[in-house]
Amino acid sequence: MPVPKKTKKLLDKTGQTDAFSFKTKTKSFFASKRGLNEDVIREISAQKSEPSWMLDLRLNAYKIFLKKKMPAWGPDLSGIDFNNIHYYVRPQDKVKRSWEEVPSEIKDTFDKLGIPEAERKFLAGTGAQFESEMVYHSLAENLAKQGVIFESTDDALKHHPDIFKKYFGTIVPPADNKFSALNSAVWSGGSFIYVPKGVHVELPLQAYFRINSENMGQFERTLIIADEGSSVHYVEGCTAPTYSSDSLHSAVVEIIVKKGARVQYTTIQNWSSNVYNLVTKRAAAYENAHMYWLDCNLGSKVTMKYPSILLCKPGAKGEIQSLAFAGEGQHQDAGGKVIHLSGNTSSTIISKSISKKGGHSTYRGLVKVVPGASKVKTRVVCDALMLDKASRSDTYPVMDIKEQDVAIAHEATVAKIGEDELFYLMSRGLSEEQAATLIVNGFASPIVKQLPMEYAVELNRLLALEMTGSVG
Amino acid sequence: MINFFNTIPNDTIVLEKNTHLFLVGLLKKGWKGQRHLVIDARAKGASCECVFFILGKDQNSFQAKIEAIHRAPHTSIKARVRAVLTGRSKADIEGIWKVEKVAVGADTYFSHHTLLLSDKASAKTAPYLEIKTDEVKAGHAASVGKVDEDALFYLLSRGLSENEARTLLVEGFFENDLSSITDEKIKDSIRKSIVLFLSQIKNEK
């Protein structure tokens, strides 16, 4: 996320390195008690005055959540105490359309993060989520006129019930996994985007997610529908202050990319190091549609996130590019999944991970081709860079191919920073830290390059911050 | 010294200090269930190279887990698996490559390439890497595909029959990893098996 100049100056003065770790004192409009039971879910639904079908869906999802076991593979999730989490914190009474109406302490938070400033400069629309609810949502007027919908998911349920009911939970059903069930039971906030036929949203839409209180669970739900021949680029950013006990972020994102449409979903995740980030993201792409996930994971304690693409019809194309940086005490378990359900589809997965100071990064991926899906092309490349002996890097790709007429390729490399490269840069007058930072930036650049300019600059800065004090 | 197998051994191979092992497998018959080969490099300077060729036909299933563990400094474990599958045969190879913290200077590689010659054949490949130190050279590669149409077209335009052209391309597919075998006798017998295998598929048609 771009940090405004004002905040940057302040940080430089005070010598702080983390721009996002500040806490804001806020009075919540409503906060559920710690822990989860049916009453909490009924309360959430009542607070939102939802239709009864949604309450039923929530209660049913809760039953599934209780039945499902925690994943037995992957990172250690034993630190999550489901009874110690506030499942719903409502910071204000309703979503504001004008920045001035947002309560001043929340406004102040986002001002420090540079949200409205960014909107004025280069965004077509912005949403900001504080705790459980979207506090602010706006969309450029010309897009609203063309029928583009960009609202908080809660508002969309009220304003567009038909289209909502038609798509909600169709790509990621509650029974998909334990955390999608949890999200379906207690979801709140998130963005709903509908782009009508043939409409191109030229500038990105952005949503910003902020966890502010301790032991908070954020469960946003995002649903994007790109109708035939349309295109949209959605950017999300996430931060939270550091507390001594852990918070949970468990989102579900569903995307439908119809015939000839294109959707790009960009994430810059920079949660503080006490957030469990367990997210289910999946897209379905139809004839000649193009789905593109660009996923950058820097923060959090544990991230488990594998953006997925179902290529349902001929000509569909899927692309996943992910960048993960695992520092001290962090486990980034990221990757991507592509399921080729139709012939003449193609996909690319490019993953780059960096681990330092005992950080643990994992690539976990799946490429599946069903019988009869001929003329499928896919390429998977994973590169890992390890900065010291204490770090760890794992790669778990699976390729399950049930069709003959395909071209599937996978390659992976793991390497440390080259002594030669370091030596060369240092002989040119750079310090070891500067040299290492330059090499890390170079390693990440093929992915960073794909980001919009402002974000790319910021990500490079974040990488440089992560590298501070990493050598020596 | 080359050890020759006709299957993937269901075994644990412990590599002692400075031993160099070369395993070659020519697999023409499948098996039930999953075979599990463990290569455990426990002492400094040990190395092991494996090359497995799979010729799958009918309902044959080749399911195996190959686990390579680097537990000592300067060890090298490399494995290459090449499979050609016809009929309803399938190859499901899991390669689990682990480099422990003490295994600095490990050199590790796993590849699994599959050529599918029938529309009912299928392949699953899962090349895993778990690396706990930065002083390593680690890589893996996998591919699944059919005979390259462009190469086939080229050979046909040069006057080869379709069978001849296909045979040549499949032989070429194996040749990549055959070249690493130094024993000419073993190399020749594998080549002969491949040619025989390919001529049998033609007879099936």
Side-chain angles (χ1 to χ4, degrees):
Chain A
M1 284 302 109
V3 175
K5 280 206 185 89
K6 229 178 6 185
T7 316
K8 225 179 253 177
K9 263 188 204 157
L10 200 74
L11 286 168
D12 289 344
K13 256 191 231 159
T14 52
Q16 260 182 295
T17 49
D18 193 347
F20 310 117
S21 65
F22 63 88
K23 298 159 192 174
T24 316
K25 273 194 185 152
T26 53
K27 261 188 234 150
S28 300
F29 187 79
F30 170 82
S32 71
K33 287 207 179 67
R34 283 167 203 263
L36 185 60
N37 53 47
E38 287 202 2
D39 290 339
V40 171
I41 292 167
R42 280 177 209 283
E43 179 64 42
I44 294 173
S45 192
Q47 283 273 340
K48 294 173 181 294
S49 29
E50 283 176 350
S52 61
W53 72 267
M54 184 50 82
L55 176 62
D56 293 344
L57 187 145
R58 284 177 185 275
L59 292 172
N60 189 33
Y62 178 58
K63 280 187 198 124
I64 297 168
F65 166 72
L66 291 178
K67 257 188 246 157
K68 289 244 176 199
K69 290 199 178 82
M70 291 289 271
W73 45 273
D76 177 19
L77 298 177
S78 59
I80 302 175
D81 181 358
F82 288 109
N83 294 320
N84 195 31
I85 292 172
H86 292 286
Y87 284 84
Y88 181 62
V89 178
R90 189 173 178 180
Q92 63 176 20
D93 54 346
K94 67 173 202 270
V95 182
K96 307 292 197 252
R97 303 225 162 258
S98 142
W99 191 241
E100 274 59 48
E101 292 170 43
V102 176
S104 60
E105 63 273 14
I106 297 175
K107 198 159 64 181
D108 185 45
T109 306
F110 285 108
D111 273 338
K112 277 188 196 159
L113 297 169
I115 303 311
E117 200 180 8
E119 182 190 352
R120 277 195 294 274
K121 276 188 198 148
F122 60 95
L123 293 171
T126 305
Q129 177 154 349
F130 195 78
E131 318 292 25
S132 297
E133 294 277 355
M134 278 283 173
V135 290
Y136 171 69
H137 239 276
S138 81
L139 178 69
E141 214 171 295
N142 62 328
L143 290 174
K145 266 186 200 147
Q146 287 180 73
V148 176
I149 303 168
F150 179 53
E151 287 183 345
S152 84
T153 310
D154 298 281
D155 278 353
L157 173 59
K158 289 193 191 93
H159 302 156
H160 314 279
D162 300 340
I163 180 165
F164 193 97
K165 203 172 172 181
K166 187 173 165 194
Y167 294 107
F168 186 87
T170 55
I171 308 296
V172 181
D176 192 77
N177 63 67
K178 189 171 178 85
F179 290 94
S180 72
L182 177 64
N183 176 284
S184 303
V186 297
W187 73 269
S188 179
S191 296
F192 175 91
I193 301 173
Y194 173 79
V195 187
K197 270 184 197 172
V199 173
H200 296 282
V201 181
E202 304 285 351
L203 291 166
L205 298 170
Q206 183 196 267
Y208 201 92
F209 297 91
R210 176 78 177 171
I211 294 178
N212 193 58
S213 9
E214 199 167 359
N215 300 124
M216 162 75 200
Q218 192 174 59
F219 304 96
E220 92 264 11
R221 182 95 188 191
T222 291
L223 181 56
I224 300 174
I225 302 143
D227 217 325
E228 291 176 17
S230 68
S231 73
V232 65
H233 179 188
Y234 178 76
V235 187
E236 67 171 2
C238 335
T239 63
T242 309
Y243 287 106
S244 52
S245 57
D246 299 334
S247 293
L248 172 63
H249 173 256
S250 183
V252 168
V253 176
E254 298 175 283
I255 301 179
I256 294 119
V257 196
K258 295 204 173 172
K259 193 173 169 182
R262 182 183 196 276
V263 173
Q264 175 173 351
Y265 192 109
T266 302
T267 304
I268 299 172
Q269 183 264 102
N270 193 27
W271 294 117
S272 59
S273 57
N274 60 318
V275 175
Y276 282 93
N277 184 36
L278 312 168
V279 176
T280 310
K281 289 182 162 169
R282 195 170 302 153
Y286 295 88
E287 287 106 316
N288 300 320
H290 184 188
M291 177 65 215
Y292 179 18
W293 294 103
L294 182 55
D295 205 39
C296 305
N297 298 300
L298 285 119
S300 85
K301 179 178 189 173
V302 172
T303 287
M304 284 176 86
K305 178 162 50 159
Y306 323 100
S308 312
I309 306 174
L310 307 169
L311 298 165
C312 307
K313 287 280 154 70
K317 193 176 158 201
E319 218 176 324
I320 301 169
Q321 298 209 15
S322 91
L323 177 71
F325 193 111
E328 197 174 352
Q330 288 185 304
H331 189 169
Q332 303 281 8
D333 201 297
K337 292 182 194 172
V338 180
I339 322 277
H340 292 264
L341 295 169
S342 163
N344 290 303
T345 51
S346 66
S347 63
T348 311
I349 302 178
I350 294 172
S351 155
K352 285 184 179 279
S353 66
I354 302 155
S355 16
K356 71 150 216 201
K357 278 201 175 165
H360 185 173
S361 66
T362 303
Y363 168 81
R364 203 180 290 277
L366 171 72
V367 173
K368 194 169 176 170
V369 181
V370 303
S374 61
K375 308 241 180 311
V376 160
K377 271 199 183 125
T378 170
R379 193 167 76 97
V380 181
V381 182
C382 333
D383 294 325
L385 188 64
M386 295 173 79
L387 299 187
D388 50 52
K389 281 193 171 37
S391 300
R392 175 169 176 182
S393 170
D394 298 342
T395 313
Y396 302 104
V398 175
M399 276 145 280
D400 188 357
I401 316 299
K402 297 254 155 52
E403 166 63 38
Q404 173 209 8
D405 190 1
V406 295
I408 315 286
H410 169 92
E411 54 191 292
T413 59
V414 179
K416 63 170 192 163
I417 283 196
E419 299 283 342
D420 297 351
E421 294 162 19
L422 269 182
F423 180 77
Y424 173 78
L425 289 170
M426 285 164 74
S427 77
R428 290 280 172 159
L430 270 67
S431 72
E432 191 174 353
E433 189 172 304
Q434 283 170 327
T437 305
L438 196 65
I439 294 169
V440 167
N441 272 339
F443 175 79
S445 77
I447 289 183
V448 175
K449 240 172 23 196
Q450 306 294 326
L451 289 164
M453 176 63 185
E454 290 77 0
Y455 293 86
V457 170
E458 186 57 23
L459 197 79
N460 276 331
R461 207 184 68 85
L462 286 174
L463 282 175
L465 267 178
E466 293 282 349
M467 290 298 293
T468 317
S470 65
V471 180
Chain B
M1 173 64 197
I2 292 180
N3 297 270
F4 191 77
F5 295 93
N6 59 5
T7 181
I8 289 183
N10 214 353
D11 201 1
T12 299
I13 297 170
V14 177
L15 301 177
E16 300 299 347
K17 197 170 178 182
N18 296 327
T19 47
H20 304 286
L21 210 60
F22 202 100
L23 311 181
V24 177
L26 179 64
L27 287 51
K28 291 187 277 194
K29 265 194 197 129
W31 51 82
K32 272 186 190 152
Q34 190 185 47
R35 289 184 156 261
H36 190 175
L37 169 64
V38 181
I39 303 161
D40 188 351
R42 238 180 247 180
K44 199 174 169 181
S47 76
C48 177
E49 196 159 340
C50 310
V51 188
F52 290 111
F53 301 100
I54 298 174
L55 302 171
K57 59 180 180 187
D58 307 330
Q59 310 265 3
N60 277 323
S61 159
F62 302 82
Q63 197 185 355
K65 185 149 110 179
I66 305 174
E67 212 172 331
I69 310 163
H70 292 265
R71 259 192 246 271
H74 303 287
T75 48
S76 161
I77 307 175
K78 292 179 180 176
R80 295 165 219 275
V81 180
R82 279 197 185 254
V84 164
L85 303 174
T86 67
R88 288 173 176 273
S89 62
K90 63 176 186 191
D92 178 349
I93 310 286
E94 222 174 290
I96 304 169
W97 256 237
K98 292 179 181 166
V99 178
E100 298 296 335
K101 244 186 184 60
V102 292
V104 289
D107 188 357
T108 189
Y109 184 78
F110 172 69
S111 71
H112 178 203
H113 297 288
T114 308
L115 202 55
L116 299 172
L117 293 187
S118 93
D119 52 1
K120 295 284 189 297
S122 69
K124 192 170 170 186
T125 172
Y128 296 167
L129 276 176
E130 290 180 5
I131 315 262
K132 294 178 191 161
T133 178
D134 68 334
E135 278 277 343
V136 293
K137 216 173 111 191
H140 62 200
S143 71
V144 182
K146 57 170 194 164
V147 170
D148 183 5
E149 293 286 342
D150 291 345
L152 193 65
F153 178 78
Y154 174 79
L155 290 174
L156 291 178
S157 77
R158 288 278 168 160
L160 269 69
S161 75
E162 188 164 341
N163 274 340
E164 284 168 337
R166 272 186 201 282
T167 307
L168 200 60
L169 288 171
V170 175
E171 283 177 51
F173 170 75
F174 281 115
E175 204 58 43
N176 276 325
D177 287 335
L178 266 175
S179 57
S180 65
I181 302 172
T182 46
D183 188 318
E184 287 299 326
K185 258 192 201 163
I186 292 182
K187 225 193 285 198
D188 269 355
S189 80
I190 293 173
R191 281 202 189 105
K192 273 181 195 143
S193 296
I194 294 167
V195 173
L196 183 69
F197 172 79
L198 290 170
S199 66
Q200 280 165 349
I201 337 170
K202 273 169 248 156
N203 294 341
E204 273 173 22
K205 274 177 187 170

